[in-house]
Amino acid sequence: MTDRPLQLGAQSALPPSPEEAVLDRVPNPHPDADYVARFTCPEFTSLCPVTGQPDFAHLVIDYVPNLHLVESKSLKLYLGSFRNHGAFHEDCTVAVGKRLVTLLEPRFLRIAGYWYPRGGIPIDVFWQTGKLPDGAWLPDTGVAPYRGRG
């Protein structure tokens, strides 16, 4: 863990696993303000730990920073490291949230994982920690629930 980005401005390979991925953080330029930062990853992929088949999700990560922000390139590489990682939908979603909380110690963090159906059942996973500060605007995730062809 470092407050100086190690990957920004340098060529960086996709980490082989989430455990080996490095997440960088930078100082929050407005630690006195309660604001929501959002990251959206509409093409998140992982592998089913049983069949090895690919699973796809649309992740939305909202957080109210405290002293640090996550550096976006390192987040992109971290999320990409799940591409060859076998884990259930719930595990992937909550693991991403917990890793960010460990790195950032935010005032509030919410992650929504909208998983595309496999076997006819979509799975949506929601996890949050902390209390949304009074006055902070937390918009809807903007992702519609799965409706199929209906």
Side-chain angles (χ1 to χ4, degrees):
M1 185 166 24
T2 175
D3 288 344
R4 191 174 49 102
L6 301 174
Q7 301 168 92
L8 188 61
Q11 274 196 326
S12 304
L14 192 63
S17 71
E19 296 79 21
E20 296 176 63
V22 175
L23 274 170
D24 292 331
R25 66 183 190 182
V26 296
N28 179 3
H30 300 282
D32 59 327
D34 290 327
Y35 63 93
V36 174
R38 171 172 287 174
F39 288 95
T40 303
C41 182
E43 298 177 346
F44 182 85
T45 61
S46 66
L47 298 177
C48 173
V50 176
T51 66
Q53 295 295 310
D55 288 318
F56 302 90
H58 184 142
L59 299 183
V60 179
I61 302 164
D62 294 310
Y63 73 102
V64 176
N66 191 11
L67 299 177
H68 299 96
L69 308 173
V70 64
E71 193 282 311
S72 61
K73 180 180 179 183
S74 73
L75 179 62
K76 178 181 79 168
L77 292 168
Y78 169 64
L79 295 176
S81 73
F82 281 84
R83 184 170 293 156
N84 295 314
H85 178 73
F88 291 113
H89 301 157
E90 296 87 347
D91 184 23
C92 289
T93 305
V94 175
V96 169
K98 285 183 171 183
R99 177 92 183 259
L100 288 170
V101 166
T102 298
L103 175 75
L104 303 173
E105 300 176 355
R107 294 179 180 123
F108 170 84
L109 184 136
R110 168 181 83 176
I111 182 169
Y114 298 91
W115 292 83
Y116 292 89
R118 223 161 54 73
I121 300 175
I123 298 175
D124 297 337
V125 181
F126 307 97
W127 184 81
Q128 73 179 37
T129 187
K131 183 177 182 297
L132 183 67
D134 289 337
W137 177 46
L138 183 64
D140 182 81
T141 61
V143 180
Y146 187 76
R147 292 186 38 152
R149 294 186 181 181

